[in-house]
Amino acid sequence: MSDGTALAGPDGAPRCPWALSTEDYVAYHDEEWGRPVHGDDALYERLCLEAFQSGLSWITILRRREGFRAAFSGFRIAEVAAFTEADKERLLADPGIIRNRAKIEATVANARVLAEWSPGDLDALIWSHAPDPATRQVPKTLADVPAVTPESTALAKALKKQGIRFVGPTTAYALMQACGLVDDHLETCVARGAPL
């Protein structure tokens, strides 16, 4: 049983324990999670996927990511903003995604909001909530990793104020972790501070 510290992965290198249950997680952990993500469409995708993950395990979303990308036009904001009621019905019948009406509605509604923003606005808003790394303690165990922070609470509030749906402080923090606004790889994890 893990005490929450980094554990040896398939190659013997220490990794965050959550990353070791499947090969999918190992690859996601090593190559993507905690690495900086920029660009409005890329951040919109992560925002949508974190919303779809709400109430589910991340592996459920990770294994359907290509299905989500195909269903939502590669998460290109301008294209999703143009989705019609017929598109929403198509999505509700698509076995390649999570067929949750409220989450599908939010994904399309959020694209419509973001399509009105200037290029770079979403990137700037999200990254303006990145905490100063010098003010954060490096987590030694999973118990040291928060689920919510003042910054994620502020980010969720800022997004909601702009009309973005299905984002709360916990979802916002998961987005911050996934997109590299924070580095929550454990202190001895091989991916901590890994080069891009």
Side-chain angles (χ1 to χ4, degrees), residues 6-9 11-17 20 29-30 186 188-192:
L7 298 174
D11 59 358
R15 286 177 177 80
C16 301
L20 300 176
H29 169 273
D30 289 3
L186 300 183
T188 58
C189 175
V190 68
R192 176 142 192 106

Side-chain angles (χ1 to χ4, degrees), residues 80-104:
V80 179
F83 277 17
T84 63
E85 289 305 313
D87 287 309
K88 293 178 190 176
E89 292 305 314
R90 170 185 57 82
L91 292 166
L92 283 168
D94 188 336
I97 67 169
I98 303 302
R99 294 173 285 183
N100 177 296
R101 185 177 294 277
K103 293 175 182 180
I104 290 169

Side-chain angles (χ1 to χ4, degrees), residues 42-79:
L43 288 165
Y44 168 68
E45 175 183 350
R46 297 332 189 272
L47 186 63
C48 294
L49 293 178
E50 293 296 346
F52 272 100
Q53 186 269 329
S54 182
L56 303 169
S57 68
W58 179 244
I59 196 68
T60 302
I61 303 303
L62 191 59
R63 288 182 172 159
R64 286 178 171 84
R65 185 158 55 171
E66 290 310 314
F68 274 107
R69 287 174 173 164
F72 286 99
S73 299
F75 289 100
R76 290 180 292 277
I77 293 168
E79 292 183 31

Side-chain angles (χ1 to χ4, degrees), residues 109-183:
N110 289 345
R112 290 177 180 161
V113 169
L114 295 171
E116 299 298 318
W117 293 16
S118 296
D121 280 357
L122 179 61
D123 191 301
L125 175 65
I126 289 174
W127 278 90
S128 72
H129 290 82
D132 178 351
T135 66
R136 293 178 50 84
Q137 287 191 321
V138 175
K140 292 178 173 42
T141 72
L142 292 179
D144 298 329
V145 179
V148 174
T149 64
E151 293 87 0
S152 75
T153 301
L155 174 57
K157 186 175 179 182
L159 288 166
K160 284 182 181 177
K161 185 176 179 183
Q162 295 295 327
I164 301 299
R165 294 163 41 186
F166 235 102
V167 59
T170 303
T171 299
Y173 193 67
L175 176 76
M176 293 171 76
Q177 291 174 304
C179 295
L181 279 76
V182 295
D183 182 354

